[in-house]
Amino acid sequence: AGDVVTHTAAISACGKGKQWARALHLYMGVQGGNGDTGAQQIAFNTLLSSMEKVRRWDIALALFEELRRPGAVLHPSVVTLNTVLSSLDKGSQWEKALSVLEDARLDGPSPDAVTLSTAMSAVGKGPRWEVALELLSEMEHGTLQLGIIGCSACITACGRGQV
């Protein structure tokens, strides 16, 4: 696991230094590694976060899709889901964010409050402010704790839609 930990730290440093191609290359050295899927998952999520920092939502989404294919060694966690949604949000890719959220509802992982808040923020960047209200309602009537971030994302979305 030490080699994966070292690679993960380097991937994180590359992300902070906006060296996304190097981060991707380093991650390739982690794949298949020593079989510690927990450490590999952390390295993967760190790679997604690196892509988010440099606004490479396209690469983050492609990497996320790889985890969803049959036979994949790793599977998306809720952290993975939230990171790819945040990347799509920052890239103003609200339609893709909604698609990822719907896929997660069908195949997992189960969305949490951060997931829905991030999705609200993403749809707020498009013309679908009413979806933000639906997500807010889902949080209010479900088991998820509605927080200030979710409320703020919904208010912003409605404000852009002039509701």
Side-chain angles (χ1 to χ4, degrees):
D3 192 39
V4 175
V5 171
T6 303
H7 273 78
T8 301
I11 290 166
S12 178
C14 286
K16 290 175 183 168
K18 311 246 186 273
Q19 298 292 318
W20 67 268
R22 286 186 184 180
L24 188 57
H25 178 75
L26 284 166
Y27 178 74
M28 296 306 166
V30 171
Q31 286 184 312
N34 62 4
D36 183 353
T37 55
Q40 289 178 18
Q41 185 79 49
I42 292 168
F44 185 85
N45 290 342
T46 302
L47 176 63
L48 282 185
S49 180
S50 294
M51 296 303 146
E52 175 190 9
K53 285 180 178 74
V54 295
R55 307 246 193 257
R56 291 307 310 256
W57 63 265
D58 54 335
I59 296 173
L61 183 58
L63 290 166
F64 180 77
E65 297 289 330
E66 281 294 309
L67 294 190
R68 301 187 71 80
R69 68 175 168 73
V73 174
L74 298 177
H75 303 286
S77 67
V78 71
V79 172
T80 312
L81 174 63
N82 293 344
T83 304
V84 78
L85 283 174
S86 181
S87 185
L88 293 168
D89 174 29
K90 288 179 180 170
S92 299
Q93 299 297 313
W94 65 271
E95 290 172 300
K96 288 178 176 38
L98 281 180
S99 177
V100 166
L101 177 61
E102 289 307 312
D103 288 347
R105 285 182 167 149
L106 296 173
D107 301 323
S110 296
D112 65 6
V114 173
T115 309
L116 297 182
S117 294
T118 306
M120 279 188 257
S121 178
V123 299
K125 292 180 172 78
R128 299 287 311 273
W129 56 267
E130 72 279 1
V131 175
L133 287 175
E134 290 169 15
L135 293 169
L136 181 69
S137 177
E138 182 179 325
M139 288 177 80
E140 284 184 326
H141 295 98
T143 59
L144 300 177
Q145 182 74 25
L146 178 61
I148 189 79
I149 294 171
C151 288
S152 176
C154 190
I155 290 167
T156 300
C158 291
R160 285 192 179 122
Q162 298 179 356
V163 175

